[in-house]
Amino acid sequence: MSTTTAPAPTSALNLSRTTATAARVLRQLRHDPRTIALMILVPCLMLFLLRYVFDGSPRIFDNIGASLLGIFPLITMFLVTSIATLRERTSGTLERLFAMPLGKGDLIAGYALAFGGLAIVQSALATGLAVWFLGLDVTGSAWLLLLVALLDALLGTALGLFVSAFAASEFQAVQFMPAVIFPQLLLCGLFTPRSNMHPVLEAISDALPMSYAVDGMNEVLRHTDMTTTFVRDVLIVAGCAVLVLGLGAATLRRRTA
């Protein structure tokens, strides 16, 4: 009697498998308007509220608005991606997908491609709203703000894919936010310059990607031209996103135990 075994997932990335995965994720999201609204509209709403919270002190909005323009997309993409990936695993979808010649790298890259496309829309809307409607005063180019916002959203996607491997339920996925996002939020330099922190905390902040996202936004806020510090910051954020995506592919499980 012959035994039929499922094909082992391939390790090499394949463009057709990756794009097919991205298309499947986008089709699913199309039928989930609440998730789309969370990803695309919530960052814009938060920026809108922030602008008029500081209606009597527009300079405060100018000082922190650029930083939050990168932080809000990171947080929303982290939440949505971690929950969506976990839902795929708990529903058995990942196990069925891995019964086909689909590698972990294909799956992670497909998710990153799909959510990355939404991140472009999200970042473009948030940047346009902040600069051209809410009057965010930046010295540099708005296109550089958009670049950092997009990289932040992609970093949030990568972090969400990574932490979803360690959660057994959607509630646990949300619980990772205090552990992964909140420390970075406190230490990124949003509330006080990192140089004013305790030396231990400053050293920790130097190892956190959100610190460089905020630094990159501040470089655009204060300089007319692209600086070497800005280039360093965006390269670090992009490098962290790629690194975390690789870790996400390595730790991805077919199903929740």
Side-chain angles (χ1 to χ4, degrees):
M1 183 174 64
S2 61
T3 302
T4 302
T5 58
T10 56
S11 56
L13 279 174
N14 180 278
L15 181 60
S16 62
R17 292 194 296 262
T18 298
T19 53
T21 300
R24 179 185 62 81
V25 173
L26 290 174
R27 284 195 300 270
Q28 290 179 332
L29 288 173
R30 186 180 61 184
H31 301 293
D32 190 354
R34 287 177 296 183
T35 299
I36 294 176
L38 175 64
M39 286 188 293
I40 295 179
L41 299 181
V42 167
C44 294
L45 177 61
M46 294 298 100
L47 286 169
F48 185 86
L49 290 175
L50 183 71
R51 168 62 183 84
Y52 291 103
V53 164
F54 295 111
D55 190 42
S57 305
R59 291 304 304 170
I60 297 180
F61 177 72
D62 290 337
N63 289 334
I64 67 174
S67 299
L68 291 175
L69 182 59
I71 291 173
F72 285 155
L74 189 155
I75 293 174
T76 55
M77 295 304 290
F78 172 85
L79 272 176
V80 171
T81 308
S82 59
I83 292 174
T85 309
L86 180 65
R87 190 177 298 166
E88 294 269 75
R89 197 171 71 243
T90 55
S91 65
T93 302
L94 288 188
E95 192 172 9
R96 292 193 296 271
L97 288 173
F98 283 138
M100 302 183 292
L102 179 72
K104 291 182 178 181
D106 297 321
L107 188 74
I108 292 293
Y111 266 90
L113 183 62
F115 285 107
L118 291 171
I120 293 174
V121 177
Q122 179 198 70
S123 302
L125 286 175
T127 303
L129 175 70
V131 175
W132 290 297
F133 183 78
L134 298 179
L136 180 67
D137 186 16
V138 293
T139 302
S141 170
W143 292 105
L144 296 181
L145 279 183
L146 176 60
L147 173 62
V148 182
L150 175 58
L151 290 175
D152 291 343
L154 293 176
L155 177 61
T157 299
L159 289 171
L161 289 169
F162 175 62
V163 303
S164 68
F166 304 98
S169 66
E170 293 182 14
F171 179 66
Q172 286 187 7
V174 174
Q175 286 180 311
F176 272 104
M177 177 169 281
V180 176
I181 300 298
F182 287 178
Q184 296 193 66
L185 187 61
L186 292 174
L187 299 177
C188 68
L190 177 64
F191 302 105
T192 186
R194 293 193 289 128
S195 59
N196 293 344
M197 297 178 186
H198 188 280
V200 173
L201 294 181
E202 184 181 1
I204 294 174
S205 73
D206 289 340
L208 299 177
M210 191 184 290
S211 300
Y212 298 95
V214 170
D215 287 350
M217 287 294 192
N218 288 333
E219 285 294 304
V220 181
L221 190 67
R222 298 164 183 164
H223 298 89
T224 56
D225 299 322
M226 184 185 301
T227 64
T228 56
T229 302
F230 174 84
V231 174
R232 180 209 64 182
D233 293 335
V234 297
L235 288 177
I236 290 175
V237 174
C240 288
V242 173
L243 175 62
V244 175
L245 282 175
L247 292 174
T251 57
L252 182 66
R253 294 177 290 160
R254 298 187 181 192
R255 62 186 300 172
T256 300

